[in-house]
Amino acid sequence: MADKKPLKLETKCYDANGLGYLYGLNQRIPDDDFEKIKPYMKRYGRKDFVNGITEVTGRPEGWRCLESDVSKIEEILGIEDTLEKRNKKVEEAFKDPLKKAQLKDQTFEWLEVLFKKGGTQPAQDLSRLAIHSTKIYDPDDSFKNGRSEGFGSLFIYTPHGMWYIINNSSKAADKNLNNVEMKDGNGAIGYRLMYEDVVDRLIRIYTEENEYTGGSLY
């Protein structure tokens, strides 16, 4: 029988209206252990969010904790793979320009595989995604600066998942590949995945959490 994955707290959802990230355990634990951490957890439901769950990406329902309580729960349960360690690992890599570039290249490769191999490509409208988004990341302002020429990419968080949008509107682009319409008549290739902690983390590393600041998308 395969060994269980190490116990850890992972992000379960992102709430755009104040709560931010909510965390939950990656596996079930004995009831006695759960009782020890229960004071720092809350069973969330639709009514606990400002606009229901229409501005939440991920899986908010269930036993969750705020980021401020993560370290307390980790200490109680003796969790070794802590959020602080994971964050420090990225921070240390970002201090070295070469390691930073290597990490970003690697995360992008993983994201490409995850979205293109495991994602779906339903027909969609960029305006609709933007209107219902909880946040939009624009790596290196690529979409903001390349939009008029038909280039750039975005990562859009919506209640129904996370989208990887590739502007495919340049003169040389094969428009037949597009499944996402844009308000200016152009189009993009879009891949959708359901929310997962690892995908969210990769996106945040690769984009450096650089939010889109270009012209209106709707």
Side-chain angles (χ1 to χ4, degrees), residues 14 16 21 57 133-137 155-158 200 204 209 211:
Y14 172 77
Y21 281 98
T57 298
S133 66
T134 57
K135 58 182 173 181
I136 302 175
Y137 289 140
F155 289 91
I156 304 179
Y157 289 51
T158 75
D200 171 69
R204 291 162 70 188
E209 300 190 61
E211 298 197 17

Side-chain angles (χ1 to χ4, degrees), residues 84-137:
E84 182 180 16
K85 285 181 181 178
R86 298 198 294 271
N87 288 340
K88 279 189 175 180
K89 188 174 181 180
V90 175
E91 289 171 8
E92 287 300 315
F94 271 33
K95 290 178 182 178
D96 183 316
L98 180 58
K99 288 182 179 179
K100 177 180 177 179
Q102 291 174 336
L103 178 58
K104 289 186 66 171
D105 286 346
Q106 183 65 72
T107 55
F108 180 64
E109 288 178 14
W110 287 334
L111 285 169
E112 286 259 291
V113 171
L114 288 168
F115 274 98
K116 292 184 177 182
K117 298 292 186 182
T120 58
Q121 288 189 274
Q124 189 52 272
D125 189 295
L126 185 62
S127 297
R128 182 174 176 78
L129 291 178
I131 289 172
H132 296 287
S133 66
T134 57
K135 58 182 173 181
I136 302 175
Y137 289 140

Side-chain angles (χ1 to χ4, degrees), residues 38-76:
K38 195 172 180 179
Y40 303 104
M41 305 286 283
K42 176 180 176 180
R43 182 186 283 278
Y44 283 89
R46 183 180 294 270
K47 64 181 177 59
D48 296 304
F49 300 89
V50 176
N51 294 314
I53 55 173
T54 60
E55 293 187 37
V56 176
T57 298
R59 296 162 289 161
E61 291 100 340
W63 287 99
R64 309 285 183 249
C65 75
L66 299 174
E67 188 164 326
S68 57
D69 289 321
V70 167
S71 61
K72 300 168 189 172
I73 294 173
E74 290 172 334
E75 183 177 0
I76 291 171

Side-chain angles (χ1 to χ4, degrees), residues 115 120-125 129 137 154-158 160-166 179-180 189-194 203:
F115 274 98
T120 58
Q121 288 189 274
Q124 189 52 272
D125 189 295
L129 291 178
Y137 289 140
L154 297 170
F155 289 91
I156 304 179
Y157 289 51
T158 75
H160 300 294
M162 310 159 86
W163 284 78
Y164 173 33
I165 302 294
I166 306 166
N179 62 303
V180 178
I189 300 170
Y191 300 92
R192 183 183 68 183
L193 284 173
M194 293 299 99
I203 290 174

